């Protein structure tokens, strides 16, 4: 199936309206889907609506051909999972915590139609583990989006042992409708992207910890020497140091000590220096640098 043949689902649900959830909602809105975002309470739902509205306005500023009115009317944010009742696809996008994700997936699935597909945006937790508690494991898979979602080019389609062939095919087609490239990977700790990206990021943090070079020069070694678009420390700031710490702990438990988080990473997270979202990580962030 080519990009020109791919069509986005008519209705999409997103459980979790943080930076990633709002980005996923934004990407499907641009592809023509109607999107329902569900948050834990009314304050969080209002914040998600503001976040998504700001993202849409920035898109229109960058591309005046986009019509802000239809985009703005194409989504709703609330607190009731009944908004997922007529969705073709629901993407869970809550923080990278196993118990939180299992609970969120259960609530979403209970509200969904039998033929709908449920996906987790997890970047490291086993899809098979998450599928073990599902009512319809054949209709469950991973859709790992990257931050910032609207500008990213890749989505990992993570296939669990129970995921149906037709579900994988539909997911690939929907990703293509977003003008992104799907790669299909079998369930494995960290999948493809997190396993490689986190390993590089952790080593960069160890180098900084050991005084090998400063953050900018470590990043320059990869951007200029290996043509990576962004260095590993700046990437960690964008992802969030707390998110990267959680992934590293998950991978260390599954794959061994090479993924053990450096002491510097733990200390920065404990100190609240989480990267762009907190204003400081390995770099200082403001509106101009964001």
């Amino acid at each position: 199936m080519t990009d020109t043949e791919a069509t986005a689902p008519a209705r999409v649900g997103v459980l979790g309206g943080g930076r990633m959830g709002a980005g996923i909602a934004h990407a499907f809105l641009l592809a023509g889907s109607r999107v329902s975002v569900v948050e834990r309470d009314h304050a969080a739902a209002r914040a998600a609506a503001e976040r998504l509205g700001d993202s849409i306005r920035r898109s229109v500023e960058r591309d005046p051909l986009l019509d802000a009115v239809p985009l703005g009317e194409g989504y709703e944010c609330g607190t009731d999972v009944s908004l997922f009742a007529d969705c073709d696809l629901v993407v869970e996008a809550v923080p990278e915590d196993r118990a939180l994700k299992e609970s969120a997936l259960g609530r979403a699935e209970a509200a969904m139609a039998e033929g709908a597909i449920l996906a987790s945006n997890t970047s490291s937790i086993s899809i098979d583990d998450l599928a073990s508690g599902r009512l319809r494991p054949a209709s469950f898979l991973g859709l790992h989006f990257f931050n910032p979602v609207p500008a990213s080019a890749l989505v990992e389609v993570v296939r669990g042992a129970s995921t149906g062939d037709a579900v994988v095919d539909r997911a690939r087609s929907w990703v293509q409708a977003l003008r992104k490239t799907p790669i299909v990977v079998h369930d494995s700790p960290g999948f493809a992207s997190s396993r490689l990206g986190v390993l590089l990021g952790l080593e960069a943090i160890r180098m900084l910890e050991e005084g090998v070079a400063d953050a900018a020069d470590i990043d320059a070694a990869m951007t200029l020497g290996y043509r990576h678009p962004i260095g590993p420390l700046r990437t960690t700031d964008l992802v969030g140091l707390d998110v990267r710490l959680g992934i590293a702990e998950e991978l260390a438990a599954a794959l061994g000590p090479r993924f053990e988080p450096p002491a510097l990473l733990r200390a920065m997270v404990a100190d609240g220096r989480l990267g762009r979202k907190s204003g400081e990580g390995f770099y200082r962030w403001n509106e101009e640098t964001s």
Side-chain angles (χ1 to χ4, degrees), residues 130-205:
L130 294 175
S132 65
R134 305 282 63 78
L135 299 172
R136 295 178 289 275
S139 297
F140 176 67
L141 78 168
L143 284 179
H144 179 204
F145 290 82
F146 293 79
N147 187 34
V149 178
S152 68
L154 177 70
V155 178
E156 278 186 304
V157 178
V158 186
R159 178 178 197 147
S162 300
T163 308
D165 291 342
V167 170
V168 173
D169 288 343
R170 288 180 74 190
R172 290 180 68 253
S173 173
W174 288 339
V175 171
Q176 290 170 342
L178 301 180
R179 300 300 185 218
K180 301 183 187 300
T181 298
I183 61 169
V184 178
V185 299
H186 290 276
D187 187 36
S188 178
F191 317 132
S193 63
S194 291
R195 189 163 171 175
L196 290 169
V198 168
L199 194 62
L200 178 61
L202 294 178
E203 189 60 28
I205 296 169

Side-chain angles (χ1 to χ4, degrees), residues 34-254:
R34 179 165 182 82
V35 180
S36 297
V37 179
V38 172
E39 261 290 3
R40 63 186 180 276
D41 55 40
H42 292 293
R46 285 194 298 272
E50 292 174 4
R51 190 174 294 115
L52 189 49
D54 289 343
S55 182
I56 289 169
R57 282 190 288 274
R58 287 195 297 271
S59 286
V60 173
E61 288 170 1
R62 289 191 296 267
D63 184 358
L65 296 178
L66 291 174
D67 191 333
V69 174
L71 287 177
E73 294 176 349
Y75 69 92
E76 58 188 337
C77 297
T79 61
D80 194 334
V81 291
S82 65
L83 292 174
F84 297 155
D86 60 352
C87 289
D88 306 293
L89 168 70
V90 173
V91 182
E92 166 272 307
V94 304
E96 193 75 354
D97 176 273
R98 185 184 296 267
L100 182 61
K101 285 188 178 291
E102 288 174 347
S103 174
L105 289 166
R107 289 190 295 112
E109 188 178 41
M112 293 166 59
E114 188 169 339
I117 292 174
L118 176 63
S120 174
N121 183 51
T122 180
S123 51
S124 63
I125 300 172
S126 167
I127 293 300
D128 287 339
D129 286 355
L130 294 175
S132 65
R134 305 282 63 78
L135 299 172
R136 295 178 289 275
S139 297
F140 176 67
L141 78 168
L143 284 179
H144 179 204
F145 290 82
F146 293 79
N147 187 34
V149 178
S152 68
L154 177 70
V155 178
E156 278 186 304
V157 178
V158 186
R159 178 178 197 147
S162 300
T163 308
D165 291 342
V167 170
V168 173
D169 288 343
R170 288 180 74 190
R172 290 180 68 253
S173 173
W174 288 339
V175 171
Q176 290 170 342
L178 301 180
R179 300 300 185 218
K180 301 183 187 300
T181 298
I183 61 169
V184 178
V185 299
H186 290 276
D187 187 36
S188 178
F191 317 132
S193 63
S194 291
R195 189 163 171 175
L196 290 169
V198 168
L199 194 62
L200 178 61
L202 294 178
E203 189 60 28
I205 296 169
R206 291 188 190 98
M207 291 169 65
L208 184 64
E209 193 174 52
E210 295 166 7
V212 173
D214 66 20
D217 284 346
I218 291 170
D219 278 353
M222 301 311 297
T223 57
L224 301 178
Y226 288 85
R227 297 189 179 183
H228 288 199
I230 305 175
L233 296 174
R234 185 172 289 271
T235 298
T236 300
D237 269 8
L238 293 173
V239 170
L241 275 71
D242 53 338
V243 174
R244 185 138 279 186
L245 174 60
I247 296 170
E249 290 176 334
E250 189 80 24
L251 293 178

